[in-house]
């Protein structure tokens, strides 16, 4: 087969264009496009990289895709890397956004292509599996001499398009091997990964009901099931490919409402029974009946990432009411914040992972504002983009600016809530501009002299000591006092008395199999210090749900191994008999230290990887290690 392909390649190079008809249709079409663009088949490829600031902008533009796909890509990589496959995610223009290279990879050409920011479209590198998948919108395999460029004949690739919540192509997912392994199981996993990414994008939608429909006698949770995202007014705002193909080929491209598809009353979607996840039936206008369940509601949507439990909101009450957050002090703080949120800014204090953004969304939903909730993480936006992101820009304001201009996130929050997360990490140069906006309630886009009036509720969040940041010269004192309206302190998980309630909420909402805790795991959850807070607890339970077999109960051997020694320390009689004593405190500290040390060793000293596994920031990890070193010296 390889020699036949090489012959076809040579004949095409010699001018026999019709020989391309012997190739699969998508590859033939790509070759013809490359020929029309006068792309040479021979010669070395010098891979072009986008500039670092452009890559930062691309990653920010695709932040939602990167965030939800990371877990699925990591799982795919772990499954196929041992067979020599490397994994690559691109945007719709074939810019490499995320790369996982197999440790078995020796081909220098593949190593050069698999780098973040490399441009891999047809104009740059000729025919690739990614370009074929993007143009055909289906699985594409391009092996060896099927590549247009000679230099890629040692590449063996397969790719699938990645669809967003509305069925539009938002990128491609590629696997590449230096050996021509035709493994259908690997290709199936590749397609499954792309479908799971789309499912996560749908589940990540805010203010929607997501329903899962079974078109046959299968089970809930199957990736072939239909997923529909429906707004509270009945408009279908998204669907997966299975739903699109099942109902109509044009379904995702038109304004479609629930009533246009189903004869069942929409009220069944909003019922308490459906919100609890109980199965029910929907009937198509043809009379076909389909088993269905709601897997996401407008209230549960914002809570997916953190696992924090929030009480229901009563939007019809004339007075502000709050439910039980599991902590009396937090209950009172939330109640006070709701009284003043439309008059004073709210500052949320708490460690990373305690649920600050979820709390902010709760305050927004419970308030009387009519606008959007606009969330900006001041630490994640590249410094060279944060000004245009916050304040917007006029068309042509700078090189690379969108021709239509950009409204800006602050302006988008008009009549709604502006949430500035990690406000302590905002660059000083931007703090003065933000201060002026807060004082005048006017914003001027880059390149424009015209001021626009805006009205928004302000919620900020920080995990650093802003007063210390002021002393260090990293934060403006006048901005601090402008933001210091009312403070809400969210306890770290280790100090909360409702750890088991939070764990049970995570099990009920996010886990597929596990629904209860064994006594040993419950004891561990109550006793462990949880440096990564609720985010870390959620990761532990999702790990148990993923690897556990059969039983609906989380057992000790199903949590990650690095936690096992911590549990052994907590089982010591000293801990059980005197849980509040100084001795138990030392045991916890020792367990925490042992876990951190073990995780750093397992990651071969890679601090970024270790911090991610622990569920804390890299800066927090360094501080903890420094503290342990100082403690060792003193002792």
């Amino acid at each position: 087969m390889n020699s036949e392909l090489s012959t076809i390649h040579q004949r095409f190079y010699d001018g026999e264009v019709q020989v391309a008809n012997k190739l699969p249709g998508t590859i033939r079409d790509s070759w013809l496009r490359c020929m029309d663009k006068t792309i040479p088949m021979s010669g070395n490829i010098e891979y072009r990289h986008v500039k670092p600031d452009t890559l930062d902008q691309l990653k920010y533009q695709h932040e939602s895709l990167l965030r939800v796909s990371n877990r699925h890509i990591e799982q795919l990589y772990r499954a196929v890397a041992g067979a020599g496959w490397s994994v690559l995610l691109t945007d719709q223009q074939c810019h490499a956004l995320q790369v996982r290279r197999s440790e078995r990879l020796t081909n220098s050409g593949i190593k050069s292509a698999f780098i973040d920011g490399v441009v891999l479209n047809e104009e740059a590198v000729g025919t690739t599996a990614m370009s074929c998948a993007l143009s055909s919108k289906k699985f594409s395999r391009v092996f060896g001499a099927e590549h247009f460029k000679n230099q890629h004949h040692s590449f063996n690739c397969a790719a699938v398009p990645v669809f967003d919540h509305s069925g539009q192509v938002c990128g491609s997912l590629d696997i590449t091997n230096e050996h021509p392994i035709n493994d259908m199981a690997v290709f199936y996993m590749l397609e499954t990964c792309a479908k799971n990414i789309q499912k996560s994008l749908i589940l990540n939608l805010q203010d929607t009901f997501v329903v899962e429909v079974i078109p046959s006698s299968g089970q809930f949770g199957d990736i072939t099931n239909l997923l529909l995202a429906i707004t509270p007014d009945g408009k279908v705002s998204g669907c997966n490919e299975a739903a699109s193909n099942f109902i109509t080929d044009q379904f995702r491209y038109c304004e479609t409402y629930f009533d246009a598809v189903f004869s069942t009353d929409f009220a069944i979607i909003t019922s308490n029974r459906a919100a609890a996840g109980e199965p029910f039936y929907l009937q198509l206008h043809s009379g076909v009946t389909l088993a269905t369940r709601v897997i996401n509601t407008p209230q549960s949507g914002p809570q997916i990432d953190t696992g924090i439990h929030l009480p229901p909101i009563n939007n019809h009450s004339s007075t502000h009411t709050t439910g039980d957050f599991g902590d009396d002090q937090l209950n009172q703080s939330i109640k006070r914040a709701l009284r003043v949120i439309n008059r004073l800014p709210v500052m949320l204090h708490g460690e990373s992972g305690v649920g600050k953004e979820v709390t902010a969304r709760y305050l927004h939903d419970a308030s009387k504002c009519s606008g959007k909730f606009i969330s900006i993480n001041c630490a994640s936006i590249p410094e060279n983009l944060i000004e245009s992101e916050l304040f917007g820009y006029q068309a042509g304001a700078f090189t690379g600016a969108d021709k239509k201009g950009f409204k800006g996130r602050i302006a988008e929050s008009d009549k709604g809530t502006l949430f500035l997360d990690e406000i302590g990490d905002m660059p000083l140069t931007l703090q003065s501009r933000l201060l002026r906006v807060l004082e005048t309630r006017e914003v001027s886009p880059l390149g424009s002299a015209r001021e626009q009036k805006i009205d928004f509720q302000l919620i900020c969040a920080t995990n650093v000591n802003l007063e210390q940041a002021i002393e260090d010269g990293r934060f403006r004192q006048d901005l601090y006092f402008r933001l210091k309206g009312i403070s809400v302190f969210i306890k770290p998980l280790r100090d909360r008395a409702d750890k088991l309630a939070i764990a049970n909420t995570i099990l009920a909402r996010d886990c597929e199999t596990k629904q209860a805790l064994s006594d040993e795991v419950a004891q561990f959850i109550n006793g462990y210090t949880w440096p990564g807070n609720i985010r870390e607890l959620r990761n532990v339970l999702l790990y148990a749900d993923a690897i556990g077999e059969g039983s609906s109960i989380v057992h000790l051997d199903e949590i990650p191994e690095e936690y096992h020694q911590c549990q052994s320390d907590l089982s010591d009689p000293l801990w059980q008999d005197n849980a509040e004593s100084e001795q138990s405190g030392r045991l916890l500290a020792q367990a925490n230290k042992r876990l951190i040390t073990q995780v750093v060793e397992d990651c071969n000293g890679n601090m970024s990887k270790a911090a991610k596994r622990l569920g804390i920031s890299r800066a927090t990890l360094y501080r903890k290690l420094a503290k342990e070193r100082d403690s060792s010296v003193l002792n």
Side-chain angles (χ1 to χ4, degrees):
M1 180 63 182
N2 285 334
S3 59
E4 182 182 353
L5 281 173
S6 296
T7 300
I8 293 173
H9 196 276
Q10 183 61 47
R11 289 172 61 186
F12 189 90
Y13 178 80
D14 292 337
E16 295 184 47
V17 177
Q18 67 277 9
V19 76
N21 292 325
K22 295 180 178 291
L23 298 169
T26 55
I27 298 176
R28 176 201 63 213
D29 294 343
S30 177
W31 278 30
L32 294 175
R33 288 194 300 270
C34 291
M35 182 187 70
D36 290 341
K37 296 170 185 174
T38 65
I39 297 173
M41 301 182 81
S42 60
N44 292 330
I45 300 175
E46 293 185 4
Y47 293 107
R48 183 164 60 88
H49 300 73
V50 298
K51 295 179 180 179
D53 58 341
T54 303
L55 179 60
D56 287 341
Q57 186 170 10
L58 287 173
K59 288 194 173 186
Y60 182 71
Q61 290 172 351
H62 295 87
E63 187 270 338
S64 179
L65 171 64
L66 290 169
R67 185 178 70 252
V68 304
S69 66
N70 186 62
R71 174 170 61 93
H72 301 299
I73 291 175
E74 185 64 28
Q75 289 174 344
L76 173 65
Y77 171 74
R78 290 179 181 177
V80 303
W85 295 97
S86 298
V87 183
L88 173 71
L89 176 72
T90 79
D91 64 9
Q92 59 269 49
Q93 280 78 43
C94 264
H95 299 117
L97 297 179
Q98 194 172 131
V99 173
R100 299 283 195 281
R101 291 199 310 209
S102 171
E103 294 181 358
R104 296 180 57 183
L105 179 62
T106 61
N107 186 293
S108 59
I110 299 178
K111 288 181 179 180
S112 298
F114 272 58
I115 298 175
D116 282 5
V118 171
V119 181
L120 297 171
N121 54 35
E122 279 184 349
E123 289 79 3
V125 298
T127 302
T128 65
M130 292 90 74
S131 62
C132 288
L134 288 169
S135 62
S136 67
K137 297 184 180 180
K138 61 184 180 182
F139 170 86
S140 298
R141 195 212 71 165
V142 180
F143 271 30
E146 290 176 327
H147 289 89
F148 187 78
K149 301 284 287 186
N150 287 334
Q151 187 174 322
H152 286 162
H153 287 188
S154 60
F155 289 32
N156 300 282
C157 314
V160 289
V162 177
F163 296 97
D164 66 12
H165 69 277
S166 63
Q168 302 295 323
V169 175
C170 61
S172 71
L173 187 63
D174 171 90
I175 54 174
T176 295
N177 203 317
E178 52 195 298
H179 304 293
I181 304 174
N182 240 331
D183 191 334
M184 298 309 297
V186 171
F187 299 157
Y188 176 80
M189 285 189 284
L190 173 66
E191 292 191 270
T192 300
C193 183
K195 291 176 181 178
N196 282 329
I197 290 173
Q198 186 188 31
K199 179 177 180 179
S200 293
L201 288 170
I202 293 172
L203 289 172
N204 203 48
L205 290 174
Q206 299 177 17
D207 302 324
T208 59
F209 295 92
V210 179
V211 298
E212 183 179 20
V213 183
I214 300 180
S216 65
S217 58
Q219 296 294 314
F220 283 113
D222 194 305
I223 60 171
T224 61
N225 290 346
L226 318 182
L227 291 180
L228 296 172
I230 308 171
T231 61
D233 62 354
K235 182 180 178 181
V236 178
S237 59
C239 66
N240 65 353
E241 287 300 289
S244 173
N245 295 331
F246 181 80
I247 297 172
T248 169
D249 289 340
Q250 299 301 315
F251 177 68
R252 61 178 179 266
Y253 300 116
C254 59
E255 297 288 324
T256 305
Y257 281 80
F258 177 88
D259 294 342
V261 180
F262 302 100
S263 59
T264 309
D265 194 316
F266 179 66
I268 194 171
I269 300 293
T270 61
S271 66
N272 291 334
R273 174 186 173 187
E278 296 182 23
F280 56 95
Y281 291 94
L282 291 178
Q283 190 173 70
L284 298 172
H285 287 294
S286 64
V288 173
T289 300
L290 302 169
T292 310
R293 69 168 179 169
V294 172
I295 60 175
N296 220 43
T297 66
Q299 288 75 29
S300 66
Q303 301 173 35
I304 293 174
D305 287 338
T306 63
I308 190 171
H309 173 68
L310 292 180
I313 297 169
N314 180 5
N315 284 323
H316 304 290
S317 174
S318 59
T319 59
H320 292 302
T321 61
T322 60
D324 185 7
F325 285 81
D327 180 81
D328 291 340
Q329 182 180 353
L330 182 58
N331 287 340
Q332 292 301 315
S333 295
I334 293 294
K335 189 174 182 179
R336 286 193 296 270
L338 284 174
R339 291 196 187 114
V340 304
I341 187 172
N342 61 340
R343 301 176 63 188
L344 291 172
V346 176
M347 177 68 75
L348 305 178
H349 299 267
E351 297 177 4
S352 178
V354 296
K356 296 189 291 295
E357 181 167 356
V358 175
T359 304
R361 289 184 183 275
Y362 178 87
L363 291 171
H364 166 78
D365 291 337
S367 69
K368 296 180 180 180
C369 70
S370 59
K372 298 179 181 179
F373 178 88
I374 301 298
S375 174
I376 301 174
N377 189 315
C378 299
S380 67
I381 305 176
E383 186 169 345
N384 60 317
L385 298 177
I386 192 169
E387 186 168 14
S388 59
E389 183 68 20
L390 286 177
F391 304 104
Y393 54 83
Q394 293 285 92
F398 54 87
T399 303
D402 191 294
K403 294 180 180 179
K404 298 179 181 179
F406 177 63
K407 186 176 183 179
R409 301 289 280 168
I410 293 179
E412 287 180 349
S413 68
D414 190 33
K415 309 302 181 185
T417 300
L418 178 65
F419 175 57
L420 298 177
D421 197 7
E422 307 300 351
I423 185 67
D425 293 316
M426 175 176 280
L428 276 168
T429 53
L430 267 296
Q431 292 177 26
S432 58
R433 284 206 64 185
L434 176 62
L435 177 63
R436 185 176 183 280
V437 170
L438 298 180
E439 290 174 342
T440 64
R441 295 289 164 155
E442 294 179 343
V443 64
S444 175
L446 294 175
S448 172
R450 195 177 75 179
E451 300 284 352
Q452 176 186 349
K453 281 286 185 182
I454 50 174
D455 179 27
F456 55 84
Q457 299 176 159
L458 180 64
I459 304 177
C460 298
T462 182
N463 62 3
V464 302
N465 186 326
L466 292 181
E467 293 179 348
Q468 182 62 50
I470 292 171
E471 290 185 16
D472 295 341
R474 294 182 289 109
F475 202 81
R476 291 178 61 115
Q477 188 175 45
D478 49 0
L479 177 59
Y480 172 71
F481 287 116
R482 173 65 67 173
L483 300 176
K484 190 180 178 182
I486 182 171
S487 295
V488 175
F489 294 89
I490 305 175
K491 291 180 180 179
L493 183 58
R494 61 182 173 274
D495 294 336
R496 295 188 62 155
D498 60 336
K499 298 185 188 72
L500 296 184
I502 294 173
N504 286 324
T505 298
I506 296 170
L507 291 175
R509 189 183 60 243
D510 297 336
C511 294
E512 298 178 359
T513 303
K514 301 300 183 181
Q515 296 297 314
L517 306 169
S518 67
D519 291 342
E520 294 84 1
V521 172
Q523 178 192 3
F524 166 69
I525 289 174
N526 265 330
Y528 181 55
T529 54
W530 298 109
N533 291 296
I534 296 174
R535 187 182 293 120
E536 181 185 8
L537 172 60
R538 180 176 182 270
N539 288 343
V540 168
L541 295 178
L542 288 180
Y543 178 92
D545 187 57
I547 71 164
E549 297 180 1
S551 173
S552 62
I553 298 175
V554 179
H555 293 287
L556 192 60
D557 60 356
E558 293 171 330
I559 67 175
E561 293 182 5
E562 56 261 31
Y563 292 90
H564 290 179
Q565 184 56 50
C566 300
Q567 197 279 337
S568 299
D569 289 338
L570 297 175
S571 299
D572 190 288
L574 284 172
W575 165 259
Q576 296 177 343
D577 295 341
N578 200 4
E580 300 299 325
S581 69
E582 181 181 352
Q583 176 64 26
S584 63
R586 284 198 298 268
L587 282 173
L588 282 175
Q590 292 168 4
N592 193 19
K593 176 183 177 181
R594 187 180 295 111
L595 171 65
I596 292 174
T597 303
Q598 184 62 51
V599 171
V600 172
E601 289 179 357
D602 291 344
C603 295
N604 298 317
N606 186 322
M607 293 303 192
S608 297
K609 187 176 181 180
K612 183 177 180 182
R613 184 175 296 184
L614 288 165
I616 60 179
S617 69
R618 190 169 63 174
T620 300
L621 176 57
Y622 277 117
R623 285 198 299 270
K624 288 181 178 293
L625 291 173
K627 183 178 179 181
E628 294 300 337
R629 285 195 297 269
D630 293 343
S631 176
S632 299
V633 171
L634 292 173
N635 294 331

